[in-house]
Amino acid sequence: MTGVLLWAVLPYLTIAVFALGLTWRFRHDRFGWTTRSSQLHESRLLRIGSPLFHFGLLFVIGGHVAGLLVPASVTRWLGVPDELYHLLSLTAGTVTGAATIAGLGVLLYRRLRTPAVRRATTSDDRVTYLALGGTLLLGMSATVLTNGLGGGYDYRATISPWFRGILFLQPDPSLMDGVPLPYRLHALFAMALFMLWPFSRLVHAFSAPVRYLARPYVVYRSRDDRRLAARAPRRGWDDA
Amino acid sequence: MRVMAQLAMVMNLDKCIGCHTCSVTCKQTWTNRGGVEYAWFNNVETKPGQGYPRRYEDQDEWKGGWALKRGRLKPAAGGRLKKLLNIFANPDLPELDDYYQPWTYDYRNLTEAPLGDDVPTARPVSAVTGAPTEVRYGPNWEDSLGGGPEHAAGDPVVRKLGREVKFSYEQSFMFYLPRICEHCLNPSCVASCPSGAMYKRSEDGIVLVDQDQCRGWRMCVSGCPYKKVYFNHKTGKAEKCTFCYPRLEVGEPTVCAETCVGRLRYIGVMLYDADRVTAAASTPDEQGLYEAQLGVFLDPHDPEVAAAAERAGIPHDWITAARRSPVYELIMRHRVALPLHPEYRTMPMVWYVPPLSPVVDALSGTGFDGEDAGNLFGAIDTLRIPLDYLAGLFTAGDQEPVRLALRRLAAMRSHMRSINLGEPHDPRGPSRVGMTAESIESMYRLLAVAKYADRYVIPTSGIGRAHDLEGIATTCSLDTYGGPGMLDGRTELFTWRDDERPSGLFPTLPGKG
Ligand code: HEM
Ligand code: SF4
Ligand code: SF4
């Protein structure tokens, strides 16, 4: 019963909160949609921590896509032996995960020790850092302790099919029975993170400005009311 | 030819008394909120001096503006890919210390300090953290050469002159330089914005930040060589001078211009050929940029230009306004207004009439008649400062345009003095600077008499919408930071209380809003 709740109901709840939350935030709080950069207050540590964290994270996300979405049969068909796959995923996961955690460590240290940055920290931030840090640390311990030192764990036989089942609307919570605890906790924390996502500063990840690469440098816009604000302009005198 | 219209400004530096009224009224209007305590859309700096933010003119350090790389224009800090790779931490972003740490005073201590022998004082406290602080720099730290010998030597323009300059008050020259956003024809802030949230308005050329589209990547701040985009550290969005567009749209001058004590600001329309901007900004020789920018402007009296403007959809009253534009007169007809740092290649549109007063003062100080044209001409040439300093500011070091402007101002002074004193005036006087008595007198009416209606020739943008625009311009003054109308500038999504309903976060129900 708990299995069904945790591994079939909760995932869909997460997806619903995530999708609806993002839509709502985009429609009604575009003004709050920002990185809320704190570089104005402190630059030196940020220039170490932020790239370390973000570049690490981009690789970690790439690793998750490869590990969760690509079935083992495909890599075998491509001629990659399972032992090699395990070794690659383990080393890549450890290195990029460590970089991400180190980056987040620097960012957290900076956030706590720089008075101005500390002052600029909201409760949204605190909850987000907790979920983000928890997810990263649990994921790292699953990789290093269970999958590495613990002698290896083939998540592609259990977690990955479960994950794809969720996506393809054929949830099979029984696949998660017997999965080592760090993995299960990591997945739970990740779901919490995704539920917080739309309501925190993490929304900035969805506006990664890749279109910039194909845009003319100078942008012209005409004085058109519809494009100037997401909200309808208020009328002149009624507010008072 | 693609005709576009631009609202531009000229400031006559001879008249600036450095009173900061413009800065204060601008701040009251636009930046009296949390997160932009340190931001002055209009600031007035003493020149020579390091300016605000400190040493912003040193583009070797700050990498603002454009650079010419193999004949092509590129943002000096790097192209699109480099910007994206640097997005997680911007290597060229000034810190708050480079502007100044905003502060207030602990006034409460004055009334609440326990009874004692000492008179209580209001100590400075940081406006950012609330902790006691020391005031180390400010938006006008070097007012009237205060700390000159120590500070002014750090002025990047002085550094470039490469020789010794005297900075004690008695030995030096100085003047005030009021600065706002230049609303450039080739804005590097817009080019640096990865989100496309910054734009130049096609109707009037005003450069704005779309607050709903800005994502806080803070690339525009470093991209602007004049450092006129500011990051609101509370809302996480970039903000900048708006050229008071809600006022201009109903035909009123900007707040800084309206309140200027010296009445030295001029606002008018310039027509320009948008197709020529990039080529002009790519002029290889920095000293050719001033001439190149003149070449971009179009003569509104030319019937062909007027016809092309009509075809481009520019309203008729804008074309008439362009013909009466005081800005056009000063820039194109009299050639006494010059651009600030054209070498940044952004094609700035706030121009300056260089100050003749330092020359007159220096001359009078030596016992000569400081208003005699012959004496003045001699002095302009022999007093190497201010000439080469002014050239470093306005023409990338080319002294000729500055010399011409100063000589024209000098000729105007002596011509008008002889008229006022009823002396016979030298009929060849104006022609020595390539002008006629008639054009000198018209320049005099513009620069010295400076009637309100002559200083501001601003076409409106559709009176039909004036009522709506009024709504943008006049929000309740209680809606300020910490005021009862505002929630700290942002909404805390996790912690707002049941009885609060942050405006704008929810769809407005029909019949209820
Ligand atoms: C590719 C997409 C992304 C881009 C371009 C991006 C960019 C940025 C930028 C510019 C900042 C502000 C740094 C500053 O100046 O203070 C930032 C902060 C942050 N980002 Fe991202 N980000 C991306 C994706 C993500 C993702 C996927 C996450 C986490 C799941 C994330 C988590 C954070 C956090 C926690 C901070 C706050 C750091 C701090 O100040 O302590 N970002 N990001
Ligand atoms: S001066 Fe104004 S328009 Fe020009 S680059 Fe700076 S912010 Fe942009
Ligand atoms: S209000 Fe006018 S005179 Fe006073 S500082 Fe500003 S520009 Fe100069």
Side-chain angles (χ1 to χ4, degrees):
Chain A
M1 188 57 211
T2 9
V4 173
L5 275 184
L6 286 184
W7 308 115
V9 178
L10 193 59
Y12 287 111
L13 193 66
T14 309
I15 293 176
V17 170
F18 185 69
L20 292 177
L22 280 177
T23 319
W24 167 77
R25 183 97 191 258
F26 188 71
R27 291 185 52 172
H28 296 293
D29 183 32
R30 232 171 279 180
F31 181 59
W33 195 294
T34 156
T35 63
R36 235 173 45 243
S37 162
S38 55
Q39 199 181 348
L40 205 58
H41 295 311
E42 201 282 344
S43 201
R44 202 177 51 87
L45 285 172
L46 185 87
R47 285 182 63 185
I48 303 168
S50 184
L52 199 58
F53 167 73
H54 280 97
F55 282 120
L57 195 62
L58 289 183
F59 281 101
V60 168
I61 292 172
H64 279 72
V65 170
L68 290 175
L69 292 184
V70 181
S73 52
V74 172
T75 50
R76 281 183 207 131
W77 178 76
L78 285 171
V80 184
D82 280 2
E83 297 71 37
L84 181 64
Y85 179 90
H86 178 241
L87 194 68
L88 278 179
S89 82
L90 188 62
T91 35
T94 308
V95 171
T96 56
T100 313
I101 288 178
L104 191 67
V106 175
L107 286 176
L108 270 174
Y109 172 82
R110 163 181 182 272
R111 199 154 271 279
L112 292 173
R113 297 306 299 270
T114 318
V117 181
R118 195 184 170 121
R119 261 295 272 245
T121 306
T122 63
S123 12
D124 304 19
D125 287 339
R126 277 186 273 271
V127 184
T128 313
Y129 272 115
L130 209 68
L132 189 60
T135 312
L136 282 172
L137 286 176
L138 285 165
M140 198 65 192
S141 65
T143 302
V144 176
L145 298 180
T146 315
N147 197 11
L149 305 176
Y153 176 71
D154 188 9
Y155 53 80
R156 294 203 297 169
T158 53
I159 307 177
S160 304
W162 165 78
F163 186 80
R164 289 195 295 273
I166 298 288
L167 287 192
F168 299 133
L169 303 181
Q170 290 159 339
D172 182 0
S174 64
L175 281 169
M176 291 301 276
D177 293 348
V179 167
L181 193 63
Y183 281 106
R184 278 186 288 160
L185 284 178
H186 173 64
L188 287 177
F189 259 80
M191 284 193 259
L193 185 66
F194 279 107
M195 288 213 223
L196 293 174
W197 203 296
F199 313 101
S200 68
R201 68 147 49 136
L202 295 186
V203 287
H204 73 266
F206 285 97
S207 36
V210 278
R211 272 184 298 175
Y212 181 50
L213 291 172
R215 189 197 85 193
Y217 274 125
V218 178
V219 177
Y220 292 91
R221 258 197 228 179
S222 110
R223 201 176 59 88
D224 175 352
D225 301 322
R226 275 161 305 162
R227 296 210 42 196
L228 289 182
R231 273 181 252 152
R234 279 175 289 170
R235 276 181 298 143
W237 307 104
D238 297 356
D239 259 13
Chain B
M1 178 157 60
R2 189 157 55 96
V3 187
M4 289 186 86
Q6 166 91 31
L7 283 168
M9 186 184 277
V10 168
M11 303 193 208
N12 179 5
L13 293 184
D14 250 338
K15 287 189 173 182
C16 182
I17 57 172
C19 65
H20 300 267
T21 308
C22 45
S23 306
V24 171
T25 50
C26 172
K27 193 154 196 46
Q28 284 298 348
T29 311
W30 293 106
T31 56
N32 58 350
R33 296 166 285 129
V36 280
E37 310 89 347
Y38 75 101
W40 296 81
F41 292 170
N42 182 110
N43 76 294
V44 183
E45 40 199 56
T46 300
K47 288 285 163 188
Q50 302 193 10
Y52 155 88
R54 209 185 317 223
R55 297 179 45 73
Y56 70 93
E57 285 158 300
D58 183 354
Q59 303 311 333
D60 294 337
E61 179 179 358
W62 299 111
K63 311 258 176 5
W66 300 86
L68 212 50
K69 284 178 188 148
R70 276 175 265 107
R72 288 179 58 111
L73 276 186
K74 235 183 174 192
R80 299 179 180 89
L81 191 61
K82 189 164 173 208
K83 282 255 160 59
L84 287 195
L85 289 176
N86 275 329
I87 201 166
F88 303 121
N90 181 346
D92 307 311
L93 194 78
E95 284 184 50
L96 217 40
D97 280 327
D98 294 307
Y99 299 88
Y100 68 100
Q101 292 285 347
W103 74 91
T104 174
Y105 294 93
D106 180 15
Y107 295 110
R108 189 180 296 177
N109 191 42
L110 296 182
T111 53
E112 293 183 1
L115 203 57
D117 290 338
D118 302 322
V119 181
T121 55
R123 285 204 300 160
V125 289
S126 159
V128 176
T129 62
T133 187
E134 258 180 66
V135 180
R136 290 223 180 77
Y137 201 65
N140 187 40
W141 200 239
E142 318 148 311
D143 199 328
S144 308
L145 290 185
E150 191 189 324
H151 282 277
D155 177 339
V157 178
V158 170
R159 289 258 170 114
K160 267 199 180 169
L161 296 183
R163 63 188 167 68
E164 209 172 313
V165 177
K166 298 227 165 53
F167 293 112
S168 70
Y169 192 81
E170 310 77 40
Q171 288 172 301
S172 180
F173 74 99
M174 58 149 235
F175 58 94
Y176 304 103
L177 182 72
R179 294 200 303 125
I180 62 173
C181 161
E182 298 276 347
H183 297 278
C184 308
L185 296 185
N186 187 33
S188 53
C189 58
V190 173
S192 308
C193 170
S195 321
M198 291 193 74
Y199 59 97
K200 191 167 177 64
R201 291 213 302 196
S202 39
E203 287 86 357
D204 48 21
I206 297 177
V207 175
L208 294 172
V209 187
D210 182 338
Q211 291 290 307
D212 275 354
Q213 220 178 321
C214 170
R215 298 284 169 258
W217 307 124
R218 32 116 178 85
M219 288 297 174
C220 52
V221 178
S222 51
C224 169
Y226 303 93
K227 292 293 170 281
K228 279 294 172 188
V229 190
Y230 301 87
F231 196 78
N232 183 320
H233 58 83
K234 283 217 155 72
T235 63
K237 304 253 163 166
E239 296 186 17
K240 67 180 285 299
C241 159
T242 63
F243 217 52
C244 290
Y245 71 87
R247 291 175 57 92
L248 288 181
E249 285 177 355
V250 293
E252 291 174 355
T254 62
V255 166
C256 56
E258 175 82 84
T259 58
C260 172
V261 172
R263 303 183 188 184
L264 56 87
R265 300 190 183 212
Y266 299 78
I267 299 175
V269 176
M270 289 297 273
L271 297 182
Y272 69 100
D273 183 355
D275 285 338
R276 275 190 247 158
V277 170
T278 308
S282 320
T283 306
D285 177 12
E286 285 188 345
Q287 299 196 344
L289 281 160
Y290 162 61
E291 282 291 336
Q293 189 165 357
L294 292 181
V296 169
F297 300 139
L298 297 170
D299 179 0
H301 305 283
D302 179 346
E304 252 176 64
V305 169
E310 206 87 61
R311 277 198 303 281
I314 295 175
H316 187 71
D317 56 337
W318 279 66
I319 301 172
T320 16
R323 293 198 184 116
R324 293 177 44 227
S325 168
V327 171
Y328 184 84
E329 290 283 291
L330 295 172
I331 293 178
M332 292 295 282
R333 180 162 167 229
H334 304 310
R335 303 268 161 129
V336 287
L338 301 167
L340 181 65
H341 289 302
E343 70 273 23
Y344 300 160
R345 300 181 183 275
T346 61
M347 303 261 121
M349 287 305 285
V350 173
W351 287 38
Y352 294 90
V353 178
L356 183 67
S357 316
V359 183
V360 178
D361 290 348
L363 201 56
S364 312
T366 57
F368 284 99
D369 176 357
E371 295 201 322
D372 177 82
N375 287 349
L376 273 174
F377 285 179
I380 290 170
D381 289 330
T382 45
L383 290 172
R384 275 172 61 213
I385 310 181
L387 196 59
D388 60 358
Y389 183 83
L390 291 173
L393 220 46
F394 297 124
T395 48
D398 179 6
Q399 299 189 5
E400 272 323 302
V402 184
R403 182 176 289 124
L404 179 71
L406 291 180
R407 285 169 69 107
R408 287 190 161 177
L409 295 175
M412 181 179 85
R413 275 195 198 216
S414 70
H415 180 79
M416 293 316 298
R417 184 173 74 162
S418 55
I419 290 183
N420 284 343
L421 298 182
E423 287 171 355
H425 53 266
D426 178 2
R428 287 196 339 274
S431 64
R432 280 165 70 192
V433 291
M435 297 180 83
T436 61
E438 184 265 327
S439 68
I440 279 213
E441 281 156 34
S442 119
M443 184 164 92
Y444 165 80
R445 272 191 300 280
L446 205 49
L447 285 180
V449 183
K451 288 285 184 209
Y452 192 92
D454 294 333
R455 274 181 284 139
Y456 311 124
V457 181
I458 305 167
T460 57
S461 58
I463 283 295
R465 287 194 55 247
H467 185 64
D468 289 349
L469 296 172
E470 195 98 41
I472 307 174
T474 56
T475 51
C476 171
S477 58
L478 298 181
D479 284 352
T480 51
Y481 177 57
M486 193 155 165
L487 287 155
D488 198 6
R490 68 182 169 227
T491 305
E492 286 247 16
L493 289 174
F494 290 166
T495 55
W496 92 70
R497 291 188 297 276
D498 284 351
D499 52 343
E500 284 171 5
R501 193 172 190 282
S503 63
L505 281 184
F506 298 98
T508 312
L509 301 176
K512 276 195 118 182

